[in-house]
């Protein structure tokens, strides 16, 4: 049974108790947190006057589902998403969306996080590819196939929709989306070139990306972590 920390209305707690197979633990006060074994946290924004709890759970790598109203501060919520301090944000009266979000979260957590290889299972061939060999994936609208490009230049093509492939790879934190039909391996990113509107990977393979998308990519990447900025 999953363990979920909560700071929500009593009525909502009773509704979620009917929907979810989980044990609930109150987390009103940061001093009283007993987080051992907690799988996720549901917090209602109306009770969170500051972001202390959100920072705390983020540092502990405990995913937070934030509940809000349609009148809440959108900018505050957007900043929390950008800092990756919340897993999801849902209107507090959308009970089945809360259930769905937690189901997806727990499915993802039970997937193999540390996998180093993927299996391409297409109709006419199977291939084992190391994750660190994949530089990017994109969807070809002409062939209607998802293509996986590797450092050595080999391109694998499979007859699966991009959304399905993206969903399965969400468990791997190395892939980041640059547009509607492209994922890149951020571990292999070498250079962002605004002038020529492209990114270069280790191994010198390049990918054209618009300047606007490059800006978004830079904002989502922690470029300066553990690096000296010159």
């Amino acid at each position: 049974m999953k363990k979920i920390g909560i700071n929500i209305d009593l009525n909502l707690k009773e509704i979620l108790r009917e929907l979810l197979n989980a044990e609930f633990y109150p987390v009103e006060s940061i001093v009283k947190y007993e987080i051992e074994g907690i799988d996720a946290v549901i917090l209602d924004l109306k009770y969170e006057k500051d972001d202390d709890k959100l920072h705390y759970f983020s540092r502990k790598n405990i995913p937070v589902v934030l509940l809000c109203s349609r009148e809440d501060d959108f900018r505050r919520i957007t900043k929390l998403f950008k800092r990756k301090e919340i897993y999801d944000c849902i209107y507090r009266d959308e009970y089945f969306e809360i259930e769905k979000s937690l189901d997806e979260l727990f499915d993802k957590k039970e997937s193999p996080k540390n996998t180093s290889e993927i299996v391409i299972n297409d109709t006419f061939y199977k291939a084992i590819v190391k994750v660190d060999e994949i530089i990017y994936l994109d969807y070809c609208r002409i062939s209607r196939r998802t293509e996986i490009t590797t450092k050595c230049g080999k391109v694998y093509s499979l007859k699966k929709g991009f959304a399905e492939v993206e969903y399965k790879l969400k468990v791997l934190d190395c892939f980041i989306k640059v547009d509607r039909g492209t994922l890149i391996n951020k571990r292999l990113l070498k250079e962002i070139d605004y002038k020529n509107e492209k990114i270069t990977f280790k191994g010198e393979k390049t990918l054209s990306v618009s300047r606007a998308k490059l800006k978004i990519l830079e904002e989502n990447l922690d470029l300066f972590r553990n690096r000296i900025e010159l």
Side-chain angles (χ1 to χ4, degrees), residues 54 66 76-86:
L54 296 158
L66 190 66
R76 181 185 176 190
I77 295 168
T78 301
K79 287 179 181 178
L80 292 170
F81 267 119
K82 284 186 175 180
R83 294 200 301 259
K84 298 183 179 179
E85 293 189 342
I86 56 176

Side-chain angles (χ1 to χ4, degrees), residues 180-191:
R180 190 170 61 179
T182 306
L183 290 172
I184 68 165
N185 189 339
K186 64 183 181 182
R187 294 176 188 164
L188 299 179
L189 181 64
K190 180 181 177 182
E191 181 178 290

Side-chain angles (χ1 to χ4, degrees), residues 30-173:
I30 201 163
V31 180
K32 298 178 181 178
Y33 286 163
E34 296 290 339
I35 65 165
E36 187 66 33
I38 284 184
D39 297 290
V41 175
I42 306 174
L43 300 178
D44 194 317
L45 193 60
K46 70 180 179 181
Y47 297 128
E48 307 305 322
K49 302 306 179 186
D50 55 48
D51 296 338
D52 287 350
K53 271 188 244 176
L54 296 158
H55 296 331
Y56 180 86
F57 287 120
S58 176
R59 291 195 301 270
K60 296 293 182 180
N61 293 317
I62 297 175
V64 174
V65 174
L66 190 66
L67 306 183
C68 67
S69 72
R70 290 158 181 82
E71 291 76 39
D72 277 322
D73 186 351
F74 179 75
R75 290 185 179 180
R76 181 185 176 190
I77 295 168
T78 301
K79 287 179 181 178
L80 292 170
F81 267 119
K82 284 186 175 180
R83 294 200 301 259
K84 298 183 179 179
E85 293 189 342
I86 56 176
Y87 168 76
D88 203 354
C89 184
I90 305 168
Y91 294 131
R92 65 175 62 91
D93 58 355
E94 294 187 348
Y95 313 126
F96 292 107
E97 287 300 315
I98 299 171
E99 178 189 22
K100 179 181 175 183
S101 179
L102 288 167
D103 284 344
E104 290 176 354
L105 169 63
F106 295 145
D107 285 345
K108 188 188 301 183
K109 291 182 73 175
E110 287 165 5
S111 299
K113 290 183 178 180
N114 300 317
T115 185
S116 60
E117 296 176 329
I118 65 170
V119 177
I120 297 173
N121 184 14
D122 202 46
T123 307
F124 299 108
Y125 69 92
K126 321 294 175 189
I128 299 172
V129 183
K130 290 186 179 299
V131 172
D132 286 339
E133 292 292 319
I134 300 170
I135 54 174
Y136 65 86
L137 306 90
D138 61 346
Y139 182 71
C140 178
R141 289 172 176 79
I142 298 173
S143 65
R144 296 186 178 180
R145 296 172 70 90
T146 299
E147 296 181 344
I148 300 172
T149 302
T150 62
K151 285 194 295 184
C152 68
K154 184 172 179 61
V155 178
Y156 296 93
S157 175
L158 66 158
K159 198 173 183 179
K160 280 189 173 68
F162 184 81
E164 180 183 353
V165 174
E166 180 188 11
Y167 178 78
K168 289 186 175 181
L169 293 179
K170 274 185 177 180
V171 68
L172 302 174
D173 61 4

